[in-house]
Amino acid sequence: MVAAVLIAGSTAGATFAAEADRTAKAAEAFLPTVDITSNFAVVATPHWDTVGCNGYKVVGKGTSIGKPLPNGGTWTQEEEACTATVPGKWDIKAKATITEPDGDKLNITYHLTAPVTQSNMVHPVGTFTITGGVGNYEFATGGGKMKARVNLLDHDHVSSTLVGDIQYLG
């Protein structure tokens, strides 16, 4: 009888340890591997298509910091911000590159929307997709959620946040 209790007790302990280990690994799997904040200035010019887009071509440049950028990087973007494609909303489609000091480049595309209002503040939200890059990011893929903060009267202080996951397939 004592032997049966000892065997059952040691099995229960091993089971608990295995469950605790699996729980830790599951929690680890849900931590974002992309958590980037970018601050940049933009230049907006009227989009040539006043019917199909009725918006702006926007180019921007600034800085980025966070995971997976060990030393930060330079943010550059080209986007179209249209008001004619989705009634009542800004429809923003873009591509951006974050260039690290060593020359590695992380390429993304993003699609954001925000209500068209009378306010000078716009808070677009949506998704981003990692489309590869150069160096460490050559075979990178992934994506996640993106949000931005734009003051339509202050083009020198735009910010965005990307939170999601990156996989290295190479």
Side-chain angles (χ1 to χ4, degrees), residues 25-134:
K25 287 188 186 315
E28 193 175 282
F30 291 110
L31 294 176
T33 54
V34 175
D35 191 356
I36 299 171
T37 299
S38 300
N39 295 292
F40 48 98
V42 297
V43 175
T45 55
H47 194 283
W48 63 269
D49 185 354
T50 57
V51 176
C53 175
N54 192 32
Y56 299 92
K57 287 277 209 182
V58 182
V59 295
K61 186 172 184 177
T63 60
S64 297
I65 192 162
K67 294 189 291 187
L69 314 169
N71 298 305
T74 301
W75 169 275
T76 55
Q77 71 171 50
E78 295 179 11
E79 71 181 27
E80 291 185 350
C82 302
T83 60
T85 51
V86 178
K89 292 190 179 238
W90 288 102
D91 184 28
I92 303 163
K93 295 178 182 170
K95 61 182 179 178
T97 300
I98 302 171
T99 305
E100 293 181 351
D102 65 1
D104 289 347
K105 295 181 181 186
L106 176 63
N107 297 327
I108 67 165
T109 58
Y110 58 89
H111 184 201
L112 310 175
T113 60
V116 174
T117 68
Q118 298 299 318
S119 173
N120 294 327
M121 293 303 300
V122 180
H123 298 277
V125 296
T127 59
F128 74 93
T129 302
I130 296 171
T131 60
V134 173

